[in-house]
Amino acid sequence: MQTDFLNTSIEFVKGVGPQRAAVLKSELGIYTVSDMLYHLPFRYIDRSKFYNINELNDDMPYVQLRGFVTLVKSFGDKRTSRLTAQFKDDTGTMDLVWFQGIKWLRDVVKAGTEYVVFGKPALFGKTFQIVHPEIETVEKFNSQPQGEFQAVYNTTEKCKSKGLDSKGILKIQRTILTNLPPALQETLPQHFVASMKLLPLRNAISNIHIPSDAALLNHARMRMKFEELFFLQLGILSDKAKRDEEHKGFNFSVIGNYFNGFYKGYLPFALTDAQKRVIKEIRQDCGTGKQMNRLLQGDVGSGKTIVALLSMLMALDNGFQSCLMAPTEILAQQHFNSITEMLKDFPVTVRLLTGSTKTKERREILEQLQAGTLHILIGTHALITNDVKFNKLGFVVIDEQHRFGVDQRAKLWMQGNIFPHVLVMTATPIPRTLAMTLYGDLEVSTINQLPPGRKPVKTIHQKEASRIKVFGFMRSEIAKGRQVYVVYPLIDESEKLDYANLMTGYDNIVRAFPLPNYRVSIVHGQLNAQAKDYEMNQFVKGVTQIMVATTVIEVGVNVPNASVMIIESAERFGLSQLHQLRGRVGRGADQSYCVLMTADKINPTAKHRIAAMVRSNDGFEISEMDLKLRGMGEIAGTQQSGNLQLKIADLTKDQQLLELARKTVIQILADDPLLARPEHYLFKKGIAKMRAPKIDYKKVG
Ligand code: ADP
Ligand code: MG
């Protein structure tokens, strides 16, 4: 009976009808009564608060006004019509303007009548204007049942033209709520609702649309947020549980001579406690008989490579080959160099395969690989071409490419029907809330400690006016034998202006640092790979003292002698990018510096970013700050962002609730990983609903 009502087509709710129903479906994805109830308000207005016209300013969000319409004018023919009304209260006069729904409005808006008006004011010349305000007569306003808070809903122009503006939607909600049974079947486990003192569903739904008071509204919002996050986590983690059941993994049951021999005799330094802990986590995970999917995050320089190497030795102890994939040739080469260096007196065969490996060598590598005599293969994307076939691949390390999906990743290397273990490494710390959602299906290991003896990089903010001083500082560091990076923003490779800036900057530097005392390298995206490698190597070898570059040097290059990072137009970089760039220095024993050059005047958010960089060296702190400053969508980019179009919860603010939801879900899945129990049937429905395609409100306006 109750489910019948919830599943009723929205068309049959009083006051909707076929035409409006069609718009609700096509514009807002609302098909049923239940869809409508879950079309949650995105904000509330205080109904008791009226503004005066003389209080308005251009920055105000939505405001509510009361006054008389004194003059109504309509313009144009059918196609380009417009309706304006002069609106007046005791303090001033303003204009109301509509471009749509004119026919209907002509009957509603009358000179000499008192109205309540709601909308966002904007200054137009000397007069304030509200475009497409919501409007109703004071009489009607007063006749409606009213709480203090009135819900405001997302809607579209097309909806509005059918009378489905925010108030129109509220009216439908009101009708539905009057007909809603006094109790609704819980979507969440009853005992959680009780033990966590959540508002029961019926009560929450009712108060979210028509709040009785502020306290109940808060309660209702919390309950709906929790529900949303719960199903988000349940979706992610039940997929993972299912995968764990289905995907067998190789069982690394022994730790043998390769691991132990290297650990005891060849380790170049003592591991940090964090490194030890992470290796243990990997070891345990690979010994369960299930496939490991793990994200290893650790700030630049925290020592992820040795963790990867020891893991690969563990694979070897169990008779398996490994591979390590890096995003660029330079990085692959560096991994190859440091790993072969560490293994130079140790009987493990390691080779490098990239796009520029010569045919003969490539053939040799592929043969060794199939024969099983090659133990560790390092390379770029060249590793995932079709003819690269391993004899027995058991462990895959992916450096700095966490944006593959889990299945995508595993399939790249599937052998028969068993997936190799996958370790994804990143130096871009991911805020916890993101890690739990975007990467929620990965286990996460964190190296939260730098090797001993590192001096934190000193970060300084300098303005254009102090350029001479900065050049002087560069000279004094170079005189001590150090090297300097100067990085220019190049947000878009095709951006001509950015190149112009880079080249001008380069010219200025060459002029200020002339031969024969100074040599300057330059690297940017328009150089071919060979030229790039040449320039890079000149700097790595210390032939050049200054490297002028775009962000192509961002990821992974390691030049310990470089102690100064100058970032030009730093206000144009994102926080995590700034942090990555700063990570290029501070790799040797010397004190290192990062100088953030900005224009003399910068906007407030840029100021926050710069201040955060000067204050903190901690990648995790920086990433949390980044999330707060940029908001969710931008960080996630387009990648899997479907997951993140939440209706009510906000991952930048609701971290605690998310943690709680995740904990709850983990408890449930521990008992019933496949949600097979009858009482969990409803959960599956909740997950499906959570995954239904969402409307992108930014697009529909
Ligand atoms: P990242 O996490 O950025 O990949 P690397 O693995 O390249 O870091 O390590 C950075 C540097 O620190 C390397 O030169 C490496 O040899 C060194 N290193 C790593 N772990 C330790 C340690 N426990 N003690 C001393 N030096 C270490
Ligand atoms: Mg690295």
Side-chain angles (χ1 to χ4, degrees):
M1 162 64 207
Q2 162 212 314
T3 33
D4 285 354
F5 180 58
L6 286 178
N7 291 330
T8 306
S9 164
I10 191 69
E11 179 180 342
F12 302 119
V13 173
K14 197 168 148 254
V16 179
Q19 279 195 9
R20 285 179 161 184
V23 197
L24 286 172
K25 283 175 199 171
S26 64
E27 294 286 291
L28 300 175
I30 295 172
Y31 289 77
T32 63
V33 166
S34 164
D35 292 342
M36 184 54 109
L37 287 175
Y38 274 85
H39 186 63
L40 302 178
F42 72 97
R43 58 193 302 276
Y44 296 83
I45 45 167
D46 185 343
R47 297 262 306 182
S48 57
K49 170 84 187 157
F50 286 97
Y51 282 86
N52 291 324
I53 292 177
N54 71 355
E55 289 176 285
L56 298 184
N57 69 55
D58 221 13
D59 297 328
M60 276 181 169
Y62 290 77
V63 295
Q64 187 169 253
L65 303 151
R66 189 192 343 225
F68 285 88
V69 165
T70 50
L71 187 68
V72 183
K73 281 193 256 181
S74 57
F75 299 86
D77 57 22
K78 259 191 188 153
R79 276 171 57 233
T80 57
S81 52
R82 171 160 62 105
L83 187 81
T84 64
Q86 206 173 62
F87 182 74
K88 191 173 177 309
D89 67 9
D90 293 343
T91 68
T93 306
M94 64 180 298
D95 290 329
L96 310 175
V97 185
W98 292 269
F99 298 99
Q100 286 187 24
I102 313 279
K103 216 171 112 204
W104 176 70
L105 283 159
R106 277 205 194 104
D107 298 334
V108 175
V109 184
K110 299 268 187 241
T113 308
E114 192 178 16
Y115 291 96
V116 173
V117 161
F118 173 74
K120 182 170 170 37
L123 199 54
F124 207 80
K126 283 185 181 158
T127 319
F128 274 99
Q129 224 180 40
I130 298 182
V131 176
H132 281 211
E134 304 195 356
I135 185 165
E136 63 189 341
T137 59
V138 166
E139 197 186 343
K140 198 166 161 205
F141 180 86
N142 287 335
S143 71
Q144 279 162 10
Q146 283 172 39
E148 193 182 347
F149 298 98
Q150 181 179 297
V152 183
Y153 298 89
N154 276 310
T155 176
T156 69
E157 291 306 326
K158 215 163 165 188
C159 287
K160 285 185 194 169
S161 74
K162 299 271 181 233
L164 294 168
D165 56 10
S166 178
K167 283 193 179 153
I169 290 175
L170 178 58
K171 209 170 143 197
I172 299 175
Q173 304 284 21
R174 197 172 273 136
T175 309
I176 293 176
L177 288 171
T178 351
N179 292 307
L180 203 62
L184 284 180
Q185 165 111 52
E186 265 304 334
T187 43
L188 293 168
Q190 198 68 260
H191 61 281
F192 285 120
V193 175
S195 69
M196 287 161 50
K197 300 200 170 57
L198 292 174
L199 220 50
L201 183 61
R202 174 69 172 80
N203 199 344
I205 285 275
S206 165
N207 272 288
I208 204 116
H209 294 294
I210 304 174
S212 304
D213 58 46
L216 272 168
L217 174 58
N218 269 338
H219 236 84
R221 283 176 56 80
M222 168 134 124
R223 143 90 211 207
M224 299 313 287
K225 282 179 179 186
F226 181 82
E227 178 171 330
E228 184 170 46
L229 295 170
F230 175 83
F231 283 113
L232 177 72
Q233 287 298 315
L234 193 62
I236 294 167
L237 292 173
S238 67
D239 272 2
K240 180 177 176 329
K242 209 166 129 214
R243 219 179 34 236
D244 284 349
E245 293 281 317
E246 286 168 2
H247 292 194
K248 284 215 175 56
F250 299 117
N251 189 356
F252 291 180
S253 52
V254 296
I255 298 296
N257 289 336
Y258 283 110
F259 186 101
N260 286 329
F262 181 82
Y263 199 95
K264 290 192 186 118
Y266 296 86
L267 207 58
F269 36 68
L271 296 184
T272 61
D273 288 342
Q275 284 169 320
K276 283 187 200 158
R277 171 174 46 75
V278 166
I279 287 165
K280 204 163 144 197
E281 284 164 3
I282 294 170
R283 194 167 140 175
Q284 281 170 349
D285 216 2
C286 291
T288 58
K290 289 179 183 160
Q291 184 225 354
M292 178 182 81
N293 268 297
R294 188 169 282 274
L295 176 70
L296 170 56
Q297 49 175 355
D299 232 332
V300 275
S302 61
K304 295 185 289 295
T305 315
I306 190 76
V307 173
L309 175 59
L310 283 163
S311 306
M312 296 193 287
L313 292 177
M314 183 170 65
L316 197 51
D317 275 332
N318 289 276
F320 289 96
Q321 295 166 296
S322 304
C323 69
L324 188 166
M325 186 168 91
T328 65
E329 283 208 15
I330 295 179
L331 262 181
Q333 181 76 50
Q334 279 190 1
H335 275 304
F336 179 74
N337 293 348
S338 63
I339 285 179
T340 43
E341 171 65 25
M342 286 193 269
L343 291 174
K344 68 177 185 290
D345 300 316
F346 202 69
V348 173
T349 315
V350 185
R351 299 201 67 165
L352 177 69
L353 182 69
T354 69
S356 53
T357 306
K358 298 275 182 307
T359 316
K360 182 164 162 270
E361 193 185 354
R362 181 182 169 90
R363 199 176 316 126
E364 208 179 279
I365 289 175
L366 296 184
E367 274 167 24
Q368 285 188 345
L369 203 58
Q370 284 226 326
T373 49
L374 176 48
H375 302 135
I376 295 176
L377 182 61
I378 295 174
T380 54
H381 275 82
L383 294 187
I384 47 177
T385 42
N386 275 337
D387 55 346
V388 178
K389 294 206 172 62
F390 290 79
N391 178 287
K392 213 178 163 195
L393 177 67
F395 199 93
V396 173
V397 183
I398 306 174
D399 197 16
E400 294 300 347
Q401 303 243 325
H402 38 90
R403 294 197 180 262
F404 282 125
V406 168
D407 286 334
Q408 229 178 330
R409 265 190 306 266
K411 272 191 195 122
L412 290 175
W413 287 280
M414 184 146 90
Q415 316 258 302
N417 56 2
I418 300 193
F419 296 87
H421 299 300
V422 179
L423 181 70
V424 182
M425 306 197 294
T426 180
T428 313
I430 298 161
R432 224 183 117 60
T433 50
L434 257 192
M436 285 192 290
T437 46
L438 271 187
Y439 310 113
D441 51 1
L442 299 179
E443 309 292 335
V444 179
S445 283
T446 304
I447 306 186
N448 53 358
Q449 184 182 22
L450 292 178
R454 294 273 167 83
K455 292 197 185 77
V457 178
K458 278 199 180 120
T459 303
I460 304 138
H461 177 198
Q462 290 289 2
K463 299 186 175 165
E464 198 49 47
S466 331
R467 181 160 296 276
I468 307 229
K469 211 169 100 190
V470 173
F471 279 177
F473 175 67
M474 285 166 65
R475 280 194 199 94
S476 71
E477 282 295 297
I478 293 171
K480 290 188 215 156
R482 314 267 187 276
Q483 290 165 283
V484 180
Y485 291 101
V486 183
V487 175
Y488 281 82
L490 195 76
I491 309 320
D492 179 355
E493 286 286 340
S494 63
E495 195 65 71
K496 284 208 179 68
L497 190 66
D498 285 349
Y499 268 107
N501 288 341
L502 171 74
M503 295 324 288
T504 320
Y506 175 69
D507 287 345
N508 289 342
I509 286 187
V510 171
R511 222 169 298 131
F513 296 86
L515 291 165
N517 291 339
Y518 301 99
R519 280 164 210 274
V520 185
S521 282
I522 180 163
V523 168
H524 57 77
Q526 291 192 344
L527 293 179
N528 65 30
Q530 231 177 344
K532 236 188 265 177
D533 279 353
Y534 174 81
E535 293 281 335
M536 202 60 230
N537 276 327
Q538 291 291 94
F539 189 65
V540 172
K541 284 191 258 167
V543 179
T544 54
Q545 297 94 5
I546 301 175
M547 163 61 79
V548 178
T550 61
T551 47
V552 293
I553 58 128
E554 183 182 335
V555 187
V557 275
N558 190 18
V559 182
N561 190 48
S563 64
V564 182
M565 166 63 66
I566 314 263
I567 304 178
E568 297 288 344
S569 306
E571 69 269 31
R572 294 183 55 196
F573 288 94
L575 252 183
S576 63
Q577 225 179 355
L578 289 172
H579 182 66
Q580 284 297 310
L581 286 169
R582 177 166 61 185
R584 298 302 106 217
V585 295
R587 309 187 138 229
D590 310 310
Q591 177 62 55
S592 292
Y593 304 88
C594 175
V595 182
L596 305 171
M597 296 294 297
T598 68
D600 293 330
K601 260 202 171 138
I602 54 177
N603 73 40
T605 15
K607 234 178 235 169
H608 278 301
R609 286 200 296 270
I610 303 286
M613 283 291 294
V614 170
R615 188 174 64 238
S616 172
N617 261 306
D618 178 339
F620 286 94
E621 206 180 313
I622 300 259
S623 77
E624 297 287 349
M625 201 102 61
D626 199 21
L627 182 62
K628 289 215 174 78
L629 288 175
R630 287 205 293 165
M632 216 54 205
E634 273 195 58
I635 287 208
T638 51
Q639 221 77 31
Q640 301 182 41
S641 61
N643 268 347
L644 296 172
Q645 283 179 23
L646 299 177
K647 284 182 175 169
I648 183 165
D650 177 346
L651 295 185
T652 64
K653 294 184 189 133
D654 298 321
Q655 172 161 358
Q656 280 182 333
L657 219 48
L658 177 65
E659 305 257 6
L660 190 63
R662 189 171 173 94
K663 222 171 84 189
T664 312
V665 165
I666 288 171
Q667 278 171 15
I668 291 171
L669 289 174
D671 274 357
D672 184 15
L674 298 180
L675 298 178
R677 290 204 202 134
E679 71 265 31
H680 289 155
Y681 163 74
L682 268 179
F683 287 172
K684 290 191 177 169
K685 269 178 61 180
I687 296 172
K689 194 160 162 184
M690 180 69 211
R691 284 188 182 149
K694 309 262 164 59
I695 309 292
D696 185 353
Y697 291 110
K698 280 193 288 298
K699 261 196 240 139
V700 293

